[in-house]
Amino acid sequence: MIGNENQVIEWKESWQDKYLEWICGYANAQGGRLYIGVDDNGEVLGIDNKTIKKLLEDIPNKITAAFGITCDVNQKTKNKKKYIEITVKKSKLPLSLHGRYYYRSGSVKKEITGFELTEFIIKSTGTSYDEMVSDLDRDELTFDTFAKRYRKMTRNRFDYDNDLVSFKMMKEDGQMTNAGVLFADQWSIHHSRVFCTRWNGTEKAGSAQDALDDSEFTGSLINLFDETMAFIKRNSKKGWRKEKDQRIELPDYPERAVEEGLVNALIHRSYIQTGANSQVDIFDDRIVITNPGGMFDGSEVQLLDLRHVPSKLRNPILADAFGRLRLMERRGSGFKKILDAYESQERYTEDLKPEFYTDGYSFYLTLWNLNYAYVKAQNKAQNKAQRTGGLSDREFMLSLLGNNPSITQAELAEEIGKSRRYVQTMMKQLNEEGVIERIGSKKSGMWVVK
């Protein structure tokens, strides 16, 4: 077996010219190796002498003709079977094949277009979006929010002329960078906003009426951070328990994890996607923070060891500014800090481990509500105790409805251990008898036990 297929290894049974796309993808990513004469299981099938001799001549010529680069193309042998290894180095410049750009992401090759292509070309030049010069003049912008936070955190006055340049928010010739525009009080980059919604339940509803709270925040990145944190705190709880001479905090969400997740969303998001915005969706059992742009290096975060992910910054100037304002640590992985914040909580279990996911276009962070899971487990234990106490199905159902007026029929069926149809029939009977009554809509209403 020849290694394992991954970000930098691909197996092919025979050569086809379309595999130049894989070579293009490797060169535009981290480099890699393409094996010819190896099946999908990594077993060497072998190539006959005549074919391998021809391929050793043709493949290098085709690569040079297509991209103007050279790759090591060598014959290898295993168990007396011959195969070819093509080693591709990372290119310093973007490469295209017939006008199309390809990129190796995870274990797949994909064509990059639109905002991804723009971002890729910017990255290949050694610069970043936040470093690029904006067409807005310094006179059009103010930085009162930034200066106020700077004074609060450092106890120093913000020297506009010198510190704007020091923070790389402005060039020495007075031109503003995109970072400067994003930190300005004025809302000039209109897709740099955050939509926040507190949904009623554990899923998104079909209409705005089913949202308990919602807001749209604009302005400076500092304002986006402050307003969004305030929204999350307003829509979550922070309990506590007295124990001897100390007070044990029992928050729905560790504040450190929420802060780190939000900061990461603001500094690592792609601001090139003009039609996309950051979102914070709060449900009964979780918070989901979504920001445009996947991992900066194209990798799939769900496949990585989260405690050993090197920090690669899409917007290094934004990250540096947040670090100077002490809103984030300037070193280390935000993933690790989020995991540590959760694991330090009393009610943490492995089932509540934060989830990180990217589909290549957006990044999703799911933070689980520690108290929701705990209370649900406690209620389940209580219900089990009641059930073993000899309650009839009717009595048990009324007890469940009384303890949780928003419980669904599916949840009732699971608790009682009967079919959903059985539950529907019993609830219809209770409703007709006037024992229970439904208040509100089917999605957001609740049951009242009379």
Side-chain angles (χ1 to χ4, degrees), residues 352-421:
L352 299 174
K353 182 178 180 179
E355 296 178 12
F356 304 82
Y357 180 83
T358 178
D359 58 10
Y361 297 96
S362 297
F363 189 98
Y364 305 87
L365 168 63
T366 300
L367 301 175
W368 296 99
N369 186 323
L370 296 165
N371 291 322
Y372 179 89
Y374 178 82
V375 172
K376 187 175 181 180
Q378 292 292 98
N379 288 341
K380 192 170 185 178
Q382 182 181 358
N383 292 339
K384 184 177 180 180
Q386 289 179 333
R387 188 58 166 162
T388 56
L391 294 180
S392 66
D393 287 345
R394 179 188 177 100
E395 292 170 331
F396 189 37
M397 181 178 290
L398 290 174
S399 174
L400 292 172
L401 290 170
N403 291 332
N404 182 9
S406 299
I407 193 170
T408 66
Q409 291 181 344
E411 291 170 333
L412 283 170
E414 181 182 355
E415 292 288 350
I416 295 173
K418 296 292 179 68
S419 69
R420 187 168 179 176
R421 181 178 292 277

Side-chain angles (χ1 to χ4, degrees), residues 270-287:
S270 170
Y271 288 95
I272 294 174
Q273 295 188 52
T274 56
N277 301 278
S278 296
Q279 289 183 210
V280 175
D281 293 295
I282 305 178
F283 303 91
D284 288 356
D285 62 342
R286 69 196 186 281
I287 293 175

Side-chain angles (χ1 to χ4, degrees), residues 30-42:
Q30 304 170 12
R33 285 171 290 167
L34 181 66
Y35 292 98
I36 309 300
V38 181
D39 67 15
D40 290 340
N41 296 316

Side-chain angles (χ1 to χ4, degrees), residues 14-23 55 58-59 62 97-98:
S14 60
W15 171 261
Q16 298 180 43
D17 286 352
K18 68 179 182 179
Y19 297 148
L20 289 170
E21 296 176 2
W22 269 259
I23 292 172
L55 290 178
D58 288 352
I59 293 175
K62 289 180 178 182
L97 179 65
H98 308 309

